[in-house]
Amino acid sequence: MTGSGLRRPESVSILGCRVDRVDSQGAAACIDELIERGSSAQVVTLGAEMANLAYSDRTYRDIINAADLVVPDTVGIVFAARLMGTPLPERVAGVDLLERVCASASRSQYPVFLLGGAPGVADAAANALTQRHPGLRIAGAEHGYFDDAHAAEVCERIRASGARLLFAGLGFPRQERFIYDNRAPLAPCVCIGVGGSFDVIAGRLPRAPAAIRGAGLEWLYRLAREPRRLRRQLALPVFAMRALRQSLSARVGAAQPQVK
Ligand code: UDP
């Protein structure tokens, strides 16, 4: 059980980060359950770059491991889990999860708040979502370029909006820290970190075509569209090496005779 009363799914460990063994449908069902319970909860959409940061940043790792649900946002996480002999059902991309949860929220009428992106992006994403999911109640939408000193005021606006679901697209690690630090003032609210999803939903950034996503090359597509990502994507080979090392040491450990 998590602190919010959710029966925690089975999980695997990638570089010390817990990742829950759920598919997209299962993840959305967990989120629905959390909202229905009136829980205050944190959902992490874990990418390889995040796991790599968490490897050397204990505080960030603890935040991820304390979340109520951690889903594998990128192909790197799914690949690493397979390498370790603990496969995950599928990639649960944050942007797809957001759409799925909004479809459900439009039926249940839980109000949704969008926080993040450059000025105007969250509003444009909210418009696009209400067109795709008629009946979706948008409690509010705000950009994500506020000073940390103003976080309390931002939280107060979210709380006063009556939102039961918060999508925080502030980029990592800011979004995970923001949600973790503000769980109490935001309560009761299920908060999901969604990275740059608003940019995609608002049409500011194109999503990689399905064939490229299917081939596991979305990272390369994004790099070609946004060359400034090169610096942070240098973390990917480091992540791959660390995952390989974790898988080798797990195999060596498993091969050791069991001393009774
Ligand atoms: N962002 C924000 N506030 C900040 C820093 C970033 O709202 O202080 C937004 C940024 O505009 C973008 C998102 O956070 O919409 C991060 O996108 P990125 O592509 O880095 O995330 P990813 O999807 O790769 O995790």
Side-chain angles (χ1 to χ4, degrees):
M1 290 276 188
T2 67
S4 50
L6 181 76
R7 186 148 8 93
R8 192 169 260 167
E10 265 182 56
S11 62
V12 306
S13 173
I14 307 291
L15 305 191
C17 291
R18 186 186 105 239
V19 186
D20 294 314
R21 297 197 75 235
V22 284
D23 58 11
S24 309
Q25 204 183 342
C30 284
I31 293 166
D32 282 349
E33 190 184 329
L34 287 166
I35 301 173
E36 272 161 34
R37 282 171 182 269
S39 304
S40 169
Q42 176 160 16
V43 178
V44 171
T45 56
L46 187 73
E49 295 161 36
M50 294 163 70
N52 204 45
L53 173 63
Y55 183 83
S56 49
D57 182 336
R58 175 74 197 256
T59 314
Y60 188 50
R61 188 163 74 234
D62 287 346
I63 289 175
I64 292 169
N65 288 334
D68 298 86
L69 184 68
V70 183
V71 301
D73 178 43
T74 64
V75 70
I77 297 290
V78 175
F79 174 76
R82 202 179 311 142
L83 195 68
M84 280 155 210
T86 52
L88 291 161
E90 63 177 353
R91 175 183 175 207
V92 182
V95 65
D96 297 329
L97 184 63
L98 187 159
E99 291 279 358
R100 208 178 256 274
V101 171
C102 282
S104 173
S106 71
R107 291 189 292 272
S108 56
Q109 294 283 296
Y110 290 123
V112 175
F113 200 106
L114 275 58
L115 175 69
V121 171
D123 288 300
N127 281 338
L129 286 168
T130 42
Q131 278 176 23
R132 276 203 287 280
H133 307 286
L136 181 68
R137 286 172 62 194
I138 300 290
E142 281 194 20
H143 72 80
Y145 287 86
F146 57 90
D147 196 283
D148 281 344
H150 297 296
E153 293 152 42
V154 173
C155 290
E156 178 48 28
R157 286 196 292 276
I158 297 170
R159 199 202 52 76
S161 76
R164 298 288 298 279
L165 190 57
L166 169 70
F167 293 111
L170 306 172
F172 80 92
R174 191 176 185 207
Q175 61 199 12
E176 286 75 31
R177 292 187 181 138
F178 173 82
I179 294 171
Y180 183 82
D181 290 344
N182 295 295
R183 239 166 114 144
L186 290 171
C189 194
V190 175
C191 308
I192 312 177
V194 291
S197 298
F198 301 155
D199 296 306
V200 175
I201 292 167
R204 307 282 166 105
L205 270 182
R207 181 114 196 250
I212 292 183
R213 297 204 303 270
L217 294 174
E218 190 166 19
W219 60 273
L220 190 56
Y221 180 88
R222 293 191 74 179
L223 182 59
R225 311 279 321 193
E226 306 166 72
R228 67 181 166 82
R229 294 179 78 89
L230 178 62
R231 236 181 96 131
R232 56 181 268 191
Q233 287 198 346
L234 290 176
L236 294 178
V238 180
F239 169 81
M241 287 309 297
R242 286 174 170 165
L244 189 60
R245 207 176 327 128
Q246 183 184 334
S247 103
L248 289 175
S249 50
R251 274 161 220 249
V252 169
Q256 298 292 334
Q258 298 291 311
V259 181
K260 294 219 169 157

